[in-house]
Amino acid sequence: MRIREGTPGAFVGLAAGLVAGGLAALVGQPLGWALVTTVALGLPLGAFGGGFGLLVAAGRLPAGRFAPVALYWLVAFPLARLVHEITVGLVLTGQLRLPPDLAGFLAYQGIVSLGWAIGFLWLHERIAARLRQRSSPRAATASR
């Protein structure tokens, strides 16, 4: 039952990876590179998104409030981007490298995370509400 609570957040993260890969292909990157971006960004964002849903379900984070979401993604988004950056570099060059200015990279990703948190919260709340509506006993009896 708890795993279902993580589904909306995981979906949002995986969808973001798909969009990033699609944009990479759209600007002319080789298809293989775009696929690496899709997986290397989508999986960490999906895992952190699912983790967010589980924390909400466990009562550790309040649902629908921006400040806790922003603080969660202030940590999670830079980590997901770091995994993405390292993975893409490893797959494409065969070398395990950190960004040259790691502190600057993480700080910038922290700034960007606020925009991600807004979009994540908006999508998460809409997807989670539909999932709850479909799985509620009243919705099942109303459709009969």
Side-chain angles (χ1 to χ4, degrees):
M1 186 71 158
R2 289 245 191 237
I3 297 300
R4 188 182 321 176
E5 299 296 333
T7 302
F11 177 78
V12 172
L14 291 170
L18 188 61
V19 168
L23 289 173
L26 185 68
V27 299
Q29 296 297 319
L31 185 58
W33 293 17
L35 290 174
V36 170
T37 289
T38 299
V39 172
L41 186 59
L43 289 180
L45 286 176
F48 282 123
F52 172 82
L54 294 175
L55 288 171
V56 169
R60 303 278 183 188
L61 287 175
R65 295 175 137 175
F66 179 69
V69 174
L71 290 174
Y72 178 83
W73 285 109
L74 183 62
V75 174
F77 186 81
L79 291 176
R81 276 288 293 121
L82 184 60
V83 168
H84 170 247
E85 190 77 13
I86 291 171
T87 303
V88 167
L90 182 62
V91 170
L92 298 181
T93 68
Q95 297 177 358
L96 186 62
R97 286 192 252 166
L98 291 173
D101 178 14
L102 182 59
F105 175 86
L106 292 174
Y108 179 75
Q109 298 309 318
I111 293 167
V112 172
S113 74
L114 294 177
W116 166 257
I118 292 167
F120 177 85
L121 180 61
W122 185 80
L123 284 172
H124 182 270
E125 291 301 310
R126 271 128 193 93
I127 294 168
R130 288 182 187 224
L131 184 65
R132 280 191 299 271
Q133 184 180 16
R134 283 187 182 174
S135 65
S136 75
R138 278 190 272 155
T141 57
S143 65
R144 291 183 193 176

